[in-house]
Amino acid sequence: MLVPGIIGLLIAATMDKTSALALWLTFAFGALALVVPAWMNIYVPLRDKRKSSLEARDDVLEPLKFDPPDMTASLKWLLPRWSRSSVHGSRNTYKKLDAWLHSSTPIMIIDGGPLVGKTRMAIEWADSLGPEWETGWLRNDKTAEALKRIRAYGKNTVIVVDGVPPHFSELVHDLSQHKSLPQIRVLLTVRNAQGLRIENQYAAAAIEEVKPLHLGPAGDSGDRERWFEDLCTHYADRLSVPVPPKHPEFIRKLGAVPIGVLHAAALVAARTGAVPFRNRSIQELMYELWKTEVDSWRNAPGTGRDGVGDAQIERLEHAVITLSLLVPVDLQMAVELLGKIPTLSGTDTGTRKDIAAWAVRMYPATGEDQPGVVEFSPRIIVVAAFLHIAGNDRTFREALLGSLTNENAHAVLARLVEASPLLPAAAALATDIIGRDYQRLTAALALGLSAASSNSALDRELARCTSTADLNEDQTIKLHGRTLEGPFPMTQVALEELLVKQLRLQANKNAGKYEPDVAAALNDLVAGLAHLGGRDADALRAAEESVTTYRQLAADNPVLYEPELASALGNLANCIAVAGGRTADALSTGQESAALYWGLAADNPETYEPGLALALHNLANRLAEAGGRNADALDAAQQSLAIYQRLAGDNPETYEPGLALALNNLANRLAQAGGRNAEALDAAQQSLAIYRRLAGDNPVKYEPRLARALYNLAGRLAHGGGRDADALEAAEKSVIIYRQLAADNAALYEPEFAEALSMLAGRLVKGGGRVAEALKAAGESVTIFRRLAAAKPALYEPELAKALNNMVGQLGTAGGAHGAETLGAAKESVTIYRRLAAADPLLCEPGLAKALGNLASRLAQTGGRASEALKTAGESVTIFRRLAAANPTLYEPDLAAALNTLASQFAQARMDENALIASKELIQIYERLAQQDSRFKAPLNRVQRMISEWSQMP
């Protein structure tokens, strides 16, 4: 600051004071001498303040990525913050995150099960943002002061948070109050946002309006093969080893797994030099990584004592597993826990202390969310190691699990539950820890809700524990309330069955007092069993008992119990329909339910119109199943929709699911009515739009309905003309969802999965000419329905006949290569339909007529069977003539197709006069149809040209 003043003095002393230059320089440097000190007085505090605010910001946020790990810690390559691999299947998620960034919503959630790539996705997206955004990973122990420090730093910031840290509600509260610049966004990754809402009331309030982005296994088999090759190259490059050879069959056998499993398999391949050929399970892959990590300890410094032989390696393995699972809070507790392990119990305290200290150095736990002193990452690997070792060493397993405190038990349960969606054996082991203990069962349920949106293995084990747990009635009711919206239908049913049992005991002790409670519990059980699948007989028995009890109660007190009776009757009608073989009973019961609701809603519409809307929806289905009642079914569906539209207009959050259900049903009933394809398509599209939104918020609850909506839309598009590609896309999406649903709950979703496969087969041919894939899908559908029909012929033989008939159509397209298979499937379909139509002609004759038409075509392609083909085609025409006479709108298109087949058979048999007669009748029908639907103009012109050609022949 003194320099300008000194220079000014030198100028004054050495230059002519009267010269203009001297005067100007003297003035300039004199001014600088005054300005610079003032400027420095401003700049230095600003610089110091800026530095201080940056340091304060960095104290709450750390870099999204760490420097690459050294070669001895190569498992860290799997962790998102060390990884440098590209993110696969990210395009749609990135688009949604970009849109969120420029919205007014401060919080976004990415959720998904283990290893789906949610943290990697969040980090890579945030890291890709431009310079106008600062990014960082929230330090969990700094949550409370995070927003204040970031605001003081003054730059737009995206905060990435993994899980719900301590003081999260304070962060969200501060964020909701922050309305000015800089813009601050929080990107949260959790296992299950819905479970988080159920289990954490503070988090639920904070994220109430947030619609999460759900991640799951992405891509088709081709995508996964390509991604796996990329990852093999990536990990080989990081480890400086040759790229392992390609073996795509390995990935095909793995199936639709989370992207993290492909990372693990690629790292195994890079470390071992070969892609595993065997059909390895995910548990085996993770244990392979554990073994390579253990091998690295032999050369690592500070591994305990003088040498690292096999015995010492086993001790180290057991130590890391024990400390990672039991989560001791300090070194002293760690040493005590190691003393309980057989391989270490005979060692002195100093040795155990050395080993514990080594484990802490190798795998230190960091952050408030890691209460222990050791944290092995990825955690699923250490769980896989424990499952493998415990399976072969019962002594070690019993020592680790045999004397758990509740605190230790909670820690182990957390690790096992977290891994159980991918490692079913972990769920089975959790059962041993829970036993009959209510507190541990409650903890496991809470952990499960937060850990995954779907977990059939854990659900099965929790249901088993529930059945044997020592619960009182209050505890049963409390646990049941927590399962209603969660991903545990088997546990829910187990609790409902236990509650029925407990209430029956009360009713036996106090006659006349508990019967309403028993009836209500039975009605709840029916609904739970309906969502479980595979227990139709149990559901029917419970529904019948509930209705019987409510009839008695309503007879004495109709005002109080008629509404309950109406609900129970609706459930009973559905159960009868699912059981099969009693269509008339299902219809009459559904009609009684709707009649009761009509009376109730007339007196009190606000209370009972929702029940009436659902009863009419169910009645429409029962009428459609009865055969010959399509007009009545359509009328009931329209009435149901009208009520739901009014209800959803006033309260969309509550009644939009019902509206979507009613729209989907209306689309089916319009299609059955015939001639109303455009209306059916519009209703199906509206239903799908709602279900997409609902499934985005709650996939566990609404993905099954989304899959059904996609299936129905594919059917409507297929009959809409010119929309084959769109129909194929909808059918493929439906199959993808149903395949995963059926994998988790085959009893409930395999029938719908098989239907979707059959639909897909037809669309693959029509929409893409992909005959080989169509044959595979059709064959898979027939295989499933054949198995289902063997167990429940009344329910699934019609579906088997339909699937066989669809398969005949696909095989026929494939040509003569499948002639024998085609003919066999066609004959089997006709045989089943004949038997069904004899018992129920109204319902099954249309299917028989179609199957006869396909059989006729196959017989015609087989040499020497022309007369048989003519007879079969004629029978098809005869049935469709009768059906079209009663309902021309619905069946004239089918009659036209049957006449077309018959005319072709006559022509091939050189019976030109008969062919001409059939073709002229066909023209009359096509002319009527073409006046209503332009799609029939092309076939009309074709038949007219054919007749013209015949007339010119000698």
Side-chain angles (χ1 to χ4, degrees):
M1 289 185 291
L2 295 175
V3 172
I6 294 171
I7 295 175
L9 291 174
L10 290 173
I11 291 170
T14 58
M15 295 184 67
D16 184 356
K17 297 180 180 59
T18 62
S19 70
L21 178 60
L23 290 173
W24 187 86
L25 289 172
T26 301
F27 173 77
F29 280 99
L32 282 173
L34 295 174
V35 171
V36 168
W39 177 77
M40 291 298 288
N41 286 337
I42 297 171
Y43 166 74
V44 171
L46 284 175
R47 181 195 64 191
D48 292 344
K49 182 179 179 181
R50 182 68 175 170
K51 181 180 179 182
S52 175
S53 64
L54 176 60
E55 290 173 349
R57 194 283 306 264
D58 288 345
D59 189 46
V60 297
L61 291 183
E62 59 185 17
L64 291 175
K65 295 183 177 181
F66 293 146
D67 292 333
D70 59 36
M71 299 302 293
T72 60
S74 57
L75 273 188
K76 285 187 176 180
W77 285 117
L78 290 174
L79 301 177
R81 300 188 67 191
W82 274 272
S83 176
R84 293 294 186 269
S85 67
S86 59
V87 174
H88 299 93
S90 60
R91 184 181 305 168
N92 290 335
T93 304
Y94 276 21
K95 286 181 180 178
K96 293 175 182 178
L97 288 172
D98 289 341
W100 161 69
L101 188 65
H102 298 96
S103 72
S104 59
T105 305
I107 298 176
M108 175 54 71
I109 297 173
I110 301 178
D111 79 345
L115 303 185
V116 296
K118 52 191 177 295
T119 304
R120 192 183 305 272
M121 184 83 70
I123 289 172
E124 294 298 333
W125 172 79
D127 196 50
S128 70
L129 297 178
E132 67 273 18
W133 286 94
E134 296 279 314
T135 59
W137 183 274
L138 180 67
R139 299 179 192 270
N140 283 346
D141 57 338
K142 303 291 184 180
T143 308
E145 60 261 42
L147 202 72
K148 178 180 179 182
R149 297 189 184 187
I150 293 167
R151 188 190 299 120
Y153 183 60
K155 289 196 174 184
N156 297 338
T157 303
V158 172
I159 310 168
V160 180
V161 188
D162 188 26
V164 177
H167 310 293
F168 178 70
S169 57
E170 295 177 38
L171 172 65
V172 174
H173 176 267
D174 292 345
L175 196 58
S176 66
Q177 303 300 310
H178 176 66
K179 305 296 183 183
S180 58
L181 294 176
Q183 296 183 67
I184 301 174
R185 300 283 187 267
V186 172
L187 181 56
L188 182 70
T189 64
V190 298
R191 289 291 177 93
N192 180 17
Q194 183 66 15
L196 186 67
R197 289 187 172 105
I198 295 170
E199 285 303 310
N200 189 320
Q201 59 178 326
Y202 300 109
I207 63 176
E208 183 178 1
E209 303 299 324
V210 180
K211 295 184 177 181
L213 301 180
H214 301 286
L215 296 189
D220 56 25
S221 59
D223 291 328
R224 291 191 293 274
E225 289 168 26
R226 188 175 65 257
W227 298 342
F228 181 63
E229 290 174 12
D230 291 346
L231 291 169
C232 283
T233 302
H234 165 76
Y235 286 115
D237 178 62
R238 294 298 179 268
L239 299 175
S240 300
V241 297
V243 177
K246 297 179 182 178
H247 289 289
E249 66 272 17
F250 169 66
I251 296 303
R252 294 193 198 110
K253 289 177 181 178
L254 273 180
V257 295
I259 189 67
V261 176
L262 298 187
H263 277 268
L267 184 54
V268 168
R271 281 182 145 187
T272 60
V275 174
F277 288 104
R278 292 185 297 118
N279 187 15
R280 289 179 183 270
S281 66
I282 295 174
Q283 182 175 320
E284 287 176 319
L285 284 173
M286 297 303 165
Y287 183 64
E288 188 77 30
L289 288 170
W290 170 262
K291 287 195 299 183
T292 57
E293 181 73 5
V294 170
D295 286 341
S296 72
W297 297 345
R298 297 182 185 275
N299 301 315
T303 48
R305 289 300 190 187
D306 297 333
V308 191
D310 290 343
Q312 180 70 340
I313 285 293
E314 185 181 38
R315 291 176 177 178
L316 298 179
E317 275 194 277
H318 290 182
V320 173
I321 290 171
T322 300
L323 300 181
S324 296
L325 294 181
L326 271 60
V327 195
V329 297
D330 55 37
L331 197 59
Q332 180 180 348
M333 184 182 291
V335 173
E336 292 175 4
L337 289 175
L338 292 183
K340 298 179 181 180
I341 303 304
T343 49
L344 289 166
S345 60
T347 59
D348 59 85
T349 303
T351 299
R352 295 200 303 273
K353 187 177 293 185
D354 284 347
I355 290 176
W358 166 83
V360 171
R361 288 197 303 274
M362 287 288 288
Y363 307 106
T366 57
E368 275 190 21
D369 65 329
Q370 308 296 345
V373 293
V374 170
E375 179 62 24
F376 187 98
S377 295
R379 289 195 289 252
I380 192 171
I381 294 176
V382 81
V383 174
F386 175 55
L387 293 173
H388 182 91
I389 295 172
N392 296 313
D393 187 344
R394 189 173 185 84
T395 305
F396 172 61
R397 168 179 166 167
E398 291 177 351
L400 192 144
L401 302 181
S403 57
L404 293 173
T405 64
N406 277 340
E407 187 176 359
N408 292 148
H410 189 279
V412 180
L413 282 172
R415 299 296 187 256
L416 294 175
V417 167
E418 180 184 65
S420 61
L422 295 178
L423 307 180
L429 201 58
T431 307
D432 293 345
I433 299 171
I434 296 169
R436 297 166 57 87
D437 189 279
Y438 167 70
Q439 296 297 334
R440 293 185 183 183
L441 177 59
T442 303
L445 181 60
L447 290 164
L449 286 169
S450 299
S453 58
S454 179
N455 192 340
S456 57
L458 181 63
D459 186 19
R460 185 166 48 252
E461 297 301 330
L462 290 178
R464 187 179 303 168
C465 289
T466 299
S467 301
T468 59
D470 187 17
L471 305 180
N472 58 42
E473 188 179 323
D474 290 339
Q475 291 170 334
T476 304
I477 293 171
K478 182 178 179 181
L479 287 174
H480 179 252
R482 300 172 80 174
T483 64
L484 288 177
E485 292 296 321
F488 299 117
M490 287 179 269
T491 306
Q492 178 184 328
V493 165
L495 288 163
E496 287 164 349
E497 289 179 314
L498 180 59
L499 184 59
V500 167
K501 181 179 177 181
Q502 291 168 336
L503 289 171
R504 276 203 179 112
L505 290 173
Q506 296 282 12
N508 291 336
K509 296 176 184 177
N510 302 274
K513 183 177 181 181
Y514 284 93
E515 279 76 7
D517 295 322
V518 173
L522 284 164
N523 206 28
D524 288 341
L525 175 59
V526 173
L529 287 167
H531 289 94
L532 189 59
R535 297 185 59 185
D536 303 335
D538 294 334
L540 181 57
R541 280 194 296 270
E544 288 172 336
E545 184 181 350
S546 179
V547 165
T548 299
T549 305
Y550 274 131
R551 280 197 194 283
Q552 295 168 351
L553 293 168
D556 296 334
N557 191 341
V559 173
L560 187 58
Y561 292 113
E562 266 197 352
E564 306 300 333
L565 175 59
S567 172
L569 283 164
N571 282 339
L572 176 59
N574 292 339
C575 289
I576 295 172
V578 169
R582 294 171 56 190
T583 304
D585 291 343
L587 176 57
S588 63
T589 306
Q591 288 171 323
E592 185 181 0
S593 174
L596 283 172
Y597 270 123
W598 273 120
L600 293 166
D603 295 334
N604 189 345
E606 185 175 340
T607 301
Y608 295 114
E609 273 199 334
L612 173 61
L614 182 59
L616 287 166
H617 163 83
N618 290 330
L619 178 60
N621 289 331
R622 304 292 79 80
L623 287 163
E625 291 161 0
R629 302 288 300 272
N630 291 333
D632 295 334
L634 176 59
D635 183 54
Q638 288 171 324
Q639 292 179 55
S640 175
L641 176 63
I643 297 172
Y644 273 126
Q645 284 174 326
R646 186 168 61 253
L647 293 170
D650 297 334
N651 188 346
E653 185 174 345
T654 301
Y655 294 111
E656 268 201 334
L659 175 60
L661 190 70
L663 284 164
N664 210 25
N665 197 18
L666 178 65
N668 292 335
R669 304 291 77 82
L670 287 166
Q672 277 190 325
R676 303 182 70 172
N677 289 325
E679 296 171 80
L681 176 59
D682 181 60
Q685 289 172 322
Q686 290 184 55
S687 175
L688 179 62
I690 297 172
Y691 276 134
R692 282 194 196 281
R693 186 168 63 252
L694 293 172
D697 294 339
N698 190 342
V700 171
K701 188 172 183 177
Y702 293 110
E703 270 200 340
R705 297 183 186 181
L706 173 61
R708 193 67 188 178
L710 285 163
Y711 168 84
N712 285 338
L713 179 64
R716 303 291 70 77
L717 288 166
H719 291 89
R723 302 289 298 275
D724 290 333
D726 294 335
L728 172 58
E729 182 182 3
E732 286 180 316
K733 289 179 179 177
S734 177
V735 164
I736 287 170
I737 299 173
Y738 270 132
R739 190 178 292 280
Q740 185 59 52
L741 291 170
D744 292 338
N745 189 341
L748 184 58
Y749 294 114
E750 259 201 340
E752 292 178 84
F753 175 43
E755 277 188 280
L757 283 165
S758 189
M759 167 72 75
L760 176 61
R763 297 310 99 220
L764 283 165
V765 174
K766 294 286 187 181
R770 294 152 60 181
V771 175
E773 294 174 70
L775 297 179
K776 182 179 178 182
E780 189 176 359
S781 174
V782 167
T783 299
I784 295 171
F785 276 130
R786 198 181 294 285
R787 184 174 67 250
L788 294 171
K792 296 181 179 180
L795 190 59
Y796 292 115
E797 272 200 334
E799 298 299 333
L800 172 60
K802 181 180 176 182
L804 283 163
N805 199 35
N806 289 344
M807 186 179 183
V808 171
Q810 314 320 320
L811 289 170
T813 307
H818 299 273
E821 191 176 355
T822 298
L823 188 57
K827 285 182 174 180
E828 185 180 0
S829 179
V830 167
T831 299
I832 297 172
Y833 270 129
R834 279 198 193 282
R835 186 169 65 252
L836 295 171
D840 193 343
L842 276 176
L843 193 61
C844 299
E845 271 200 334
L848 172 60
K850 289 181 180 179
L852 286 163
N854 268 340
L855 176 58
S857 297
R858 302 293 81 77
L859 287 166
Q861 292 177 352
T862 305
R865 306 187 73 165
S867 61
E868 199 176 345
L870 274 172
K871 181 181 177 182
T872 306
E875 186 180 358
S876 175
V877 168
T878 299
I879 296 173
F880 273 130
R881 275 205 184 104
R882 186 168 63 250
L883 293 171
N887 190 341
T889 303
L890 182 59
Y891 290 114
E892 273 201 336
D894 291 316
L895 174 58
L899 281 165
N900 190 52
T901 300
L902 181 61
S904 298
Q905 306 313 316
F906 279 133
Q908 289 181 24
R910 305 289 185 181
M911 301 170 68
D912 294 340
E913 185 176 345
N914 290 334
L916 186 61
I917 293 171
S919 297
K920 286 182 177 178
E921 183 182 357
L922 181 57
I923 283 178
Q924 293 174 354
I925 296 173
Y926 273 145
E927 284 176 341
R928 286 196 299 272
L929 293 173
Q931 290 176 355
Q932 302 168 2
D933 191 334
S934 60
R935 288 184 301 144
F936 292 102
K937 289 182 179 178
L940 171 62
N941 293 334
R942 176 181 56 77
V943 178
Q944 287 174 332
R945 284 196 306 270
M946 183 175 65
I947 292 179
S948 177
E949 291 171 1
W950 283 349
S951 64
Q952 296 173 13
M953 293 175 65

